[in-house]
């Protein structure tokens, strides 16, 4: 077994994705250790979740840097950098990272997005899928690049949309698949099975297509190998 990857997770809110990562590390599905959780929001419930697991938490309250936006981003950078992480995970982090942050952690930042990218980058994904009368939605984990929600896709998990769905019911269903694909991706990265080179992603040295891995039971089996 290789050494555990050092992971820093950035959050802004509830932190249900963080919870699944904390549990994934605890149960050793992920060969990694969350060394810190950083939040821009002092009231983020995810901070409590991290503390329950005894994880270091840091708050960079953006309200303290309303005028000095640059300082806010520098503080976030410093907060993360001090841990020298192998992987930086955006788990519902609602701020846009600076170019210098992204280049400092080249190939090491992943994000989860609640749609089947490239469909619906940005906000209000569930309402947009309902308005478009889509029959399928889902979530995407991708490497982060300077272009918002557009980096190389690692994995996607699909869920059905039912005729009586509301934004809330769809959000709940998508979140369930988010938790699964986020743990799966993190596990595969920490075990060295997923690698990135420029805009390409490889699973066990095999080049993935533009939509990445389609999540199914075979991925769960791979995690146990
Ligand atoms: C998730 O839907 C994630 O995809 C999006 O923000 C939400 C965060 O949820 N970026 P949580 O804080 O992990 O519960």
């Amino acid at each position: 077994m290789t050494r555990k990857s050092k992971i820093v997770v950035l959050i802004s809110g509830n932190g249900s994705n963080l919870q699944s990562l904390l549990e994934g590390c605890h149960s050793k599905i992920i060969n990694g250790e969350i060394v810190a959780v950083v939040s821009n929001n002092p009231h983020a419930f995810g901070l409590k979740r991290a503390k329950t697991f005894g994880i270091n938490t840091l708050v960079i309250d953006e309200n303290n840097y309303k005028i000095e936006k640059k300082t806010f981003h520098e503080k976030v950078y410093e907060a993360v950098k001090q841990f020298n992480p192998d992987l930086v995970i955006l788990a519902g982090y609602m701020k846009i990272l600076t170019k210098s942050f992204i280049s400092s952690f080249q190939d090491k930042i992943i994000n989860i997005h609640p749609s089947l990218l490239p469909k619906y980058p940005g906000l209000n994904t569930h309402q947009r899928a309902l308005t478009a009368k889509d029959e399928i939605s889902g979530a995407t984990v991708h490497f982060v690049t300077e272009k918002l929600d557009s980096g190389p896709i690692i994995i996607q998990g699909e869920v059905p949309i039912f005729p009586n769905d509301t934004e809330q019911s769809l959000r709940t269903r998508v979140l369930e698949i988010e938790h699964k694909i986020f743990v799966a991706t993190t596990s595969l990265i920490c075990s060295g099975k997923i690698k990135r080179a420029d805009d390409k992603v490889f699973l066990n040295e095999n080049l993935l297509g533009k939509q990445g891995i389609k999540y199914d039971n075979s991925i769960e089996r791979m995690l146990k190998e």
Side-chain angles (χ1 to χ4, degrees):
M1 180 68 88
T2 48
R3 78 162 173 86
K4 281 185 182 177
S5 298
K6 281 193 284 177
I7 303 168
V8 173
V9 184
L10 273 67
I11 61 164
S12 296
N14 181 29
S16 68
N17 277 292
L18 167 66
Q19 179 79 28
S20 65
L21 296 170
L22 287 164
E23 288 169 8
C25 290
H26 187 71
S27 67
K28 300 193 168 53
I29 293 175
I30 298 170
N31 184 30
E33 180 190 3
I34 299 178
V35 289
V37 170
V38 179
S39 174
N40 63 307
N41 169 12
H43 308 294
F45 184 65
L47 291 167
K48 291 202 175 75
R49 298 181 191 267
K51 283 179 188 146
T52 306
F53 279 78
I55 309 291
N56 223 334
T57 59
L58 293 92
V59 175
I60 315 294
D61 185 350
E62 56 179 314
N63 294 314
N64 295 342
Y65 303 96
K66 273 198 172 134
I67 305 165
E68 283 290 333
K69 280 245 159 42
K70 190 162 171 257
T71 316
F72 167 76
H73 289 294
E74 281 166 4
K75 294 280 177 200
V76 173
Y77 172 74
E78 284 163 14
V80 176
K81 183 69 191 165
Q82 65 180 309
F83 295 100
N84 199 19
D86 300 298
L87 188 61
V88 178
I89 302 186
L90 310 183
Y93 183 63
M94 302 307 283
K95 304 295 291 180
I96 294 175
L97 297 173
T98 58
K99 283 182 187 176
S100 63
F101 186 106
I102 294 168
S103 62
S104 302
F105 299 104
Q106 183 79 35
D107 295 348
K108 290 184 178 171
I109 313 173
I110 59 171
N111 179 46
I112 189 144
H113 184 78
S115 79
L116 296 171
L117 291 170
K119 254 190 171 181
Y120 313 131
L123 299 174
N124 300 321
T125 56
H126 306 308
Q127 190 52 55
R128 287 153 76 195
L130 290 172
T131 305
K133 301 205 179 326
D134 290 350
E135 291 178 353
I136 291 173
S137 186
T140 303
V141 182
H142 64 94
F143 284 106
V144 172
T145 57
E146 282 176 20
K147 215 167 156 222
L148 186 70
D149 298 332
S150 301
I153 291 176
I154 305 167
I155 192 166
Q156 294 193 313
E158 294 183 351
V159 298
I161 301 182
F162 300 119
N164 57 352
D165 263 329
T166 60
E167 194 180 357
Q168 185 52 46
S169 65
L170 182 56
R171 174 178 293 115
T172 303
R173 194 173 311 120
V174 171
L175 262 178
E176 272 177 38
I177 197 80
E178 286 188 38
H179 300 159
K180 289 182 182 155
I181 66 173
F182 223 5
V183 169
T185 308
T186 306
S187 171
L188 292 171
I189 291 177
C190 291
S191 62
K193 290 180 179 149
I194 285 181
K195 292 196 177 100
R196 172 185 171 192
D198 302 319
D199 60 346
K200 299 187 180 69
V201 183
F202 297 84
L203 171 64
N204 293 328
E205 317 294 334
N206 298 311
L207 177 64
L208 295 176
K210 281 258 176 273
Q211 300 306 112
I213 304 163
K214 189 167 175 180
Y215 177 83
D216 60 16
N217 288 339
S218 68
I219 303 300
E220 289 295 317
R221 283 198 294 277
M222 197 184 291
L223 300 183
K224 291 178 188 133
E225 279 167 11

